[in-house]
Amino acid sequence: MSIGHTLLGLLESGPRHGYDLKRSFDDQFGRDRPLHYGQVYSTMSRLLKNGLVVVDGVEAGGGPERKRYAITDAGVTDVGKWLAQPESPEPYLQSTLYTKVVIALLTGRSAADLLDAQRAEHLRMMRDLTARKREGDLADQLICDHALFHLEADLRWLELTAARLDRLATAVRR
């Protein structure tokens, strides 16, 4: 995820302080990985330097001055370009799990046990996500659906690999 573009997009609704941007980001996107304040301010500094935001005001408080940021026309254009650019699909061609299966086979360990343990972990995660989806709002439901579909594909791969373990063992030991 592009944090800079996300913060710019949040600024399109109006000027905000860094604290407000962090809170909005965390509410919308950061349930599992909230932003650190330092990341917000370093990103805002970079966006300011690049002319994508301006300081719209400064307020004195009990602590450091609070800058209010506003998006510039260049920032709006940048967000528009980012939104129009499709994300590259991630084909997972360098899978850590595949690597573990091959190493297990090469070292005489049980690849079947590894696949069983991984299957159990995937199913546990799917149960957790299903519970979160059931209790969550629409955003949670959509995020959980995305993750669940990926986990289902992984489970299909685990089953296919388990069915082909003997052939794979022969192939990697040559």
Side-chain angles (χ1 to χ4, degrees), residues 29-40:
F29 314 108
R31 177 176 171 181
D32 296 315
R33 275 196 246 168
L35 281 180
H36 296 286
Y37 284 105
Q39 192 171 12
V40 172

Side-chain angles (χ1 to χ4, degrees), residues 10-75:
L10 291 172
L11 280 172
E12 281 201 43
S13 65
R16 298 183 190 200
H17 296 97
Y19 174 82
D20 298 327
L21 284 168
K22 179 201 173 349
R23 191 177 64 226
S24 292
F25 182 98
D26 290 351
D27 288 347
Q28 292 293 325
F29 314 108
R31 177 176 171 181
D32 296 315
R33 275 196 246 168
L35 281 180
H36 296 286
Y37 284 105
Q39 192 171 12
V40 172
Y41 293 111
S42 65
T43 301
M44 295 311 297
S45 177
R46 181 179 43 80
L47 295 173
L48 185 63
K49 181 178 137 190
N50 292 337
L52 302 176
V53 298
V54 293
V55 174
D56 186 55
V58 178
E59 296 174 10
E65 292 180 331
R66 291 177 35 145
K67 295 178 185 174
R68 187 176 57 240
Y69 298 95
I71 192 168
T72 63
D73 289 341

Side-chain angles (χ1 to χ4, degrees), residues 20-154:
D20 298 327
L21 284 168
K22 179 201 173 349
R23 191 177 64 226
S24 292
F25 182 98
D26 290 351
D27 288 347
Q28 292 293 325
F29 314 108
R31 177 176 171 181
D32 296 315
R33 275 196 246 168
L35 281 180
H36 296 286
Y37 284 105
Q39 192 171 12
V40 172
Y41 293 111
S42 65
T43 301
M44 295 311 297
S45 177
R46 181 179 43 80
L47 295 173
L48 185 63
K49 181 178 137 190
N50 292 337
L52 302 176
V53 298
V54 293
V55 174
D56 186 55
V58 178
E59 296 174 10
E65 292 180 331
R66 291 177 35 145
K67 295 178 185 174
R68 187 176 57 240
Y69 298 95
I71 192 168
T72 63
D73 289 341
V76 171
T77 299
D78 198 54
V79 170
K81 287 179 184 176
W82 176 65
L83 290 173
Q85 181 67 41
E87 290 296 309
S88 295
E90 297 178 20
Y92 302 109
L93 293 177
Q94 283 295 334
S95 167
T96 302
L97 187 51
Y98 172 75
T99 302
K100 285 183 167 188
V101 169
V102 170
I103 295 298
L105 291 170
L106 289 173
T107 60
R109 292 178 175 90
S110 174
D113 288 350
L114 184 151
L115 291 170
D116 287 344
Q118 191 63 51
R119 186 181 303 104
E121 184 61 19
H122 271 62
L123 291 171
R124 184 200 61 75
M125 177 61 73
M126 290 176 84
R127 284 189 299 275
D128 291 350
L129 288 168
T130 300
R132 177 176 166 181
K133 178 181 165 181
R134 209 175 8 257
E135 299 164 4
D137 59 11
L138 180 58
D140 261 346
Q141 292 168 11
L142 291 169
I143 288 168
C144 289
D145 280 339
H146 186 263
L148 285 165
F149 292 144
H150 281 273
L151 290 170
E152 285 175 16
D154 287 350

